[in-house]
């Protein structure tokens, strides 16, 4: 098996960036989910509430995070941490400490997305603090992340996407691309749902090792076209994932596996890396 895609999402719920390589860190791939949009109550805002966020392009240069949209001139933000008072912001039930970005971002979002973006601001995770991953699935270990939904890495396979799309097409529905699931690491695998039986993934020479912790329960973001923000079929692919019942002991639609880093913090992960797996004990 080998890695076929690496994706980072510097700003939670905005467009992702496909990269050829990245640095592995305990909290995720370098720059992944470092920023987030919040409302006036400092609660996280995503495509669940605001599908148009999918239309905001994100780029990283050596010195800047760059936001772009057809309705506004690109906006560059320094990668150097801003000065200012820390804010307490909320991601699901977690309270995180964050640094506010300039009000220029809030004005830019309104220019790009319209009045519906009024009241949004952008914050950056304050890296001197940590946000712990739930310990229920860590086998006694510990892990932390930035502004991801809950885990530092999301792993998906081509075999599972192929199986899902075969089921969609058989029902007369359109197939969906991998970007609907916003994975960090995509692995070429001919076997559908094989990742649900993996305990660990290791680079073959031992550079790094990831632990697959928990199936990823999917939400309505998977129904949103990640280029246009349209919702072509409101129930899909969630309805078909539920019918496939890949996690018989759990309710809901699942696709991919949440993961944490066991070994190799600071090492480089690359598209094309060959991987070996260990299976879960039954």
């Amino acid at each position: 098996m080998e890695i076929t895609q690496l994706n980072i999402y510097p700003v939670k719920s905005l467009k992702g960036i496909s990269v050829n390589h990245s640095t592995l860190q305990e909290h995720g791939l370098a720059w992944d989910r470092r920023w987030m949009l919040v409302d006036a109550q400092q609660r996280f805002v995503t495509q669940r509430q605001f599908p148009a966020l999918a239309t905001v392009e994100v780029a990283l240069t050596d010195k800047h995070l760059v936001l772009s949209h057809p309705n506004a001139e690109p906006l560059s933000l320094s990668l150097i941490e801003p000065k200012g008072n820390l804010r307490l912001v909320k991601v699901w039930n977690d309270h995180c400490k964050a640094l506010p970005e300039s009000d220029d971002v809030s004005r830019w979002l309104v220019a790009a997305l319209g009045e519906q973006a009024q009241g949004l601001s952008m914050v950056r995770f304050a890296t001197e603090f940590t946000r712990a991953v739930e310990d229920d699935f860590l086998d006694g270990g510990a892990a932390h992340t930035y502004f991801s939904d809950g885990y530092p890495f999301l792993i998906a396979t081509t075999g599972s996407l192929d199986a899902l799309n075969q089921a969609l097409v058989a029902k007369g529905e359109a197939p969906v691309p991998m970007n609907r699931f916003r994975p960090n690491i995509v692995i070429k695998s001919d076997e559908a749902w094989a990742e649900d039986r993996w305990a660990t993934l290791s680079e073959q020479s031992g550079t790094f090792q990831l632990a697959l912790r928990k199936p990823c329960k999917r939400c309505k973001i998977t129904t949103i076209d990640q280029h246009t923000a349209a919702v072509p079929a409101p129930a899909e692919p969630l309805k078909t994932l539920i019918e496939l019942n890949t996690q018989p002991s759990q309710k809901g639609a699942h696709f991919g596996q949440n993961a944490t880093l066991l070994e190799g913090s600071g090492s480089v992960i690359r598209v094309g890396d060959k991987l070996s797996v260990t299976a879960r004990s039954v």
Side-chain angles (χ1 to χ4, degrees), residues 30 41 82 152 230 233 254 261:
Q41 287 72 46
H254 295 82
L261 186 65

Side-chain angles (χ1 to χ4, degrees), residues 12 44 59 68 86 90 166 178 195-196 200 206 226 229 276 278:
K12 186 178 180 68
F44 76 125
S68 58
L86 288 170
K90 193 169 184 181
Q166 288 169 13
M178 185 64 87
E195 64 273 21
D196 295 339
T200 66
Q226 293 296 298
S276 57
T278 59

Side-chain angles (χ1 to χ4, degrees), residues 126-243:
T127 54
E128 63 266 38
F129 301 95
T130 56
R131 175 181 169 224
V133 171
E134 61 181 356
D135 57 13
D136 303 34
F137 301 89
L138 298 184
D139 296 329
H144 61 96
T145 187
Y146 285 168
F147 288 137
S148 69
D149 270 0
Y151 282 78
F153 303 94
L154 177 62
I155 294 171
T157 67
T158 57
S160 295
L161 183 66
D162 289 345
L164 170 60
N165 281 332
Q166 288 169 13
L168 285 167
V169 170
K171 294 167 59 177
E173 300 287 350
V176 296
M178 185 64 87
N179 67 10
R180 291 284 188 93
F181 302 98
R182 299 174 66 86
N184 296 115
I185 302 169
V186 178
I187 297 166
K188 179 175 174 53
S189 171
D190 295 332
E191 186 180 354
W193 322 117
E195 64 273 21
D196 295 339
R197 298 187 297 277
W198 297 341
T200 66
L201 276 172
S202 302
E203 194 272 326
Q204 281 191 347
S205 65
T207 305
F208 60 80
Q209 184 177 57
L210 295 153
L212 286 74
R213 299 295 191 177
K214 180 187 179 184
C216 186
K217 189 173 181 179
R218 309 313 307 218
C219 69
K220 68 179 182 179
I221 290 178
T222 62
T223 70
I224 300 169
D225 185 305
Q226 293 296 298
H227 294 292
T228 66
V231 181
E236 295 294 0
L238 295 173
K239 183 179 179 183
T240 299
L241 281 171
I242 290 171
E243 291 167 354

Side-chain angles (χ1 to χ4, degrees), residues 255-268:
F255 187 93
Q257 284 279 335
N258 291 299
T260 62
L261 186 65
L262 289 179
E263 297 175 8
S265 180
S267 64
V268 176

